[in-house]
Amino acid sequence: MTKRVAFITGSASGLGRQMAIALAKEGIHVVLNYVHSQEKAQQTAQLIEEKYGVQVLVLQGDVSQKAAVTEMIAKIRDAFGRLDILVHNAGPFIKEQKKVQDYRLDEWQAMVDGNLNSYFYLLQETLPLMAQNKWGRVVAVGFNQVNTTPAWQYRGAYAAAKSGVASLTKTIALEEAAAGITANVVCPGDIKGSYKEMTIEEAIKNTTPKQTQRVEVGDDVARVVAFLCQENSTFISGSVIEVGGGQDILAKRNRESSN
């Protein structure tokens, strides 16, 4: 069987890097995407090629720009002649706490363009390629409880855009089912810093007897993404999957914001 091809946005480092590695382990060719982190992207590509023996294409491009998305998908088509899997991991986040009324227009637009509009651009370019082969997997990254359109204090623009992503994903799951395409959202927990590129085995080794639960790492999320992209994961679609150890992470963040 011809090997599948996956495009993972924002995959030079962090969670996206772990997702690319997880898919490469499954024998899937991967397309890495970055905006500024060229060196990290090349390092990730080299690791994947040497360790897993799949083909890797590295593309620079800002997915919030429609023209950049069109150009990247054209390059994927030229290189592989197909695209089977889209994992939309990229998405800007404003670290500064802000009330909705305090957002500048350009900040609001950046959150919507980077998180929601980018997803729309990607879907319009990739779904027809998947439909040609009557097979496709779409996975978007959300946040804790995005399925309930929750309030996220001082993160209103990001939360609104990602909630739109969840709704759009469910719509795609219905519209594209006949084309053999599934669409799901994966919601990471509170994964910080170097933990984003850590494996589960490393996390277990770093867990002390006093801890009631080990820390969540990027590998936890990447394994779920890889599972959703498997050949037999046909009937899992329109789902929003929490990968947060059963914790109410959003409530914790809202409490921290209020202090």
Side-chain angles (χ1 to χ4, degrees), residues 171 193 223 243 258:
T171 300
R223 284 164 62 91
V243 190
S258 299

Side-chain angles (χ1 to χ4, degrees), residues 140-217:
V141 176
F143 67 91
N144 180 232
Q145 299 180 48
V146 70
N147 198 36
T148 66
T149 60
W152 190 350
Q153 192 172 18
Y154 306 127
R155 299 284 187 264
Y158 179 84
K162 284 293 189 181
S163 295
V165 166
S167 178
L168 189 55
T169 301
K170 291 183 178 185
T171 300
I172 292 302
L174 293 176
E175 292 180 349
E176 303 299 333
I181 299 170
T182 67
N184 296 283
V185 179
V186 173
C187 300
D190 193 11
I191 311 176
K192 297 178 180 178
S194 61
Y195 291 111
K196 293 180 180 180
E197 295 187 5
M198 192 177 290
T199 66
I200 291 172
E201 289 75 16
E202 290 170 333
I204 292 172
K205 289 179 181 178
N206 290 329
T207 302
T208 66
K210 293 183 179 180
Q211 289 178 275
T212 57
Q213 189 177 38
R214 70 165 172 81
V215 68
E216 183 182 1
V217 294

